[in-house]
Amino acid sequence: DEQFVAHTHVLADNALESLHNIGATTSKWFLLDLEEIRKAAERRNILFIVANQQANSKSWFGIPAAQRIDQKDVRYSDEVAGIERILRRGEPISGYEFDFLIHARLMRDLRNWAEKNELPFVDIIGLLDQERQHLVSWVHLDAYANGSVADALADDGDARIVSLSSPMSIRPPGRN
């Protein structure tokens, strides 16, 4: 629950080891799941567009508007670096901050995986990096940001579909 997580702290020594172990395990399973999706999309001749996900370390359950405005112009990478500095000083971090660092690992590994597999990639973190006040919880967006994400995905998809040599190379599932 929100009160438990908000008051949970991870000691720096434990966090560094746990981040490595949990991050590696979580990433392994995450990438295996993505590979299954990629294979299924390929079998069905579906364009698989990969996108990362903006997040913050503040709350899973909702952030008051007054606190959200403080996130404007705070870049994702700066928040990650700030939490890592706390750990290097030997100070504890919150459960939210720990999970945010795991998220950062997953988003880095996702980008690398998409590049390795030569898949289209839409950088949602970059898209919203100067407007993080639109995160209403740790990953959920308000209507404005959802519209921006939809536009970015549509633009990337439209550009790739138009550039294909044959309009029949993209078919709805089950219509091979």
Side-chain angles (χ1 to χ4, degrees), residues 45 47 157-171:
N45 203 24
L47 176 63
D158 290 347
R160 290 180 189 283
I161 291 169
V162 168
S163 70
L164 294 172
S165 59
S166 167
M168 293 309 293
S169 61
I170 304 263
R171 294 188 183 98

Side-chain angles (χ1 to χ4, degrees), residues 91-150:
E91 298 173 22
I93 61 172
S94 73
Y96 294 136
E97 291 166 328
F98 182 88
D99 288 342
F100 182 67
L101 292 179
I102 296 291
H103 184 272
R105 160 82 187 257
L106 295 177
M107 295 302 97
R108 183 193 71 223
D109 293 351
L110 172 68
R111 180 186 289 268
N112 292 338
W113 177 84
E115 289 172 4
K116 177 182 148 205
N117 285 283
E118 299 178 347
L119 293 170
F121 182 81
V122 179
D123 183 11
I124 302 303
I125 291 174
L127 174 73
L128 298 174
D129 231 9
Q130 301 301 313
E131 301 184 287
R132 294 179 70 222
Q133 75 275 15
H134 295 291
L135 284 155
V136 296
S137 73
W138 93 297
V139 295
H140 299 99
L141 304 172
D142 65 15
Y144 170 83
N146 276 322
S148 295
V149 169

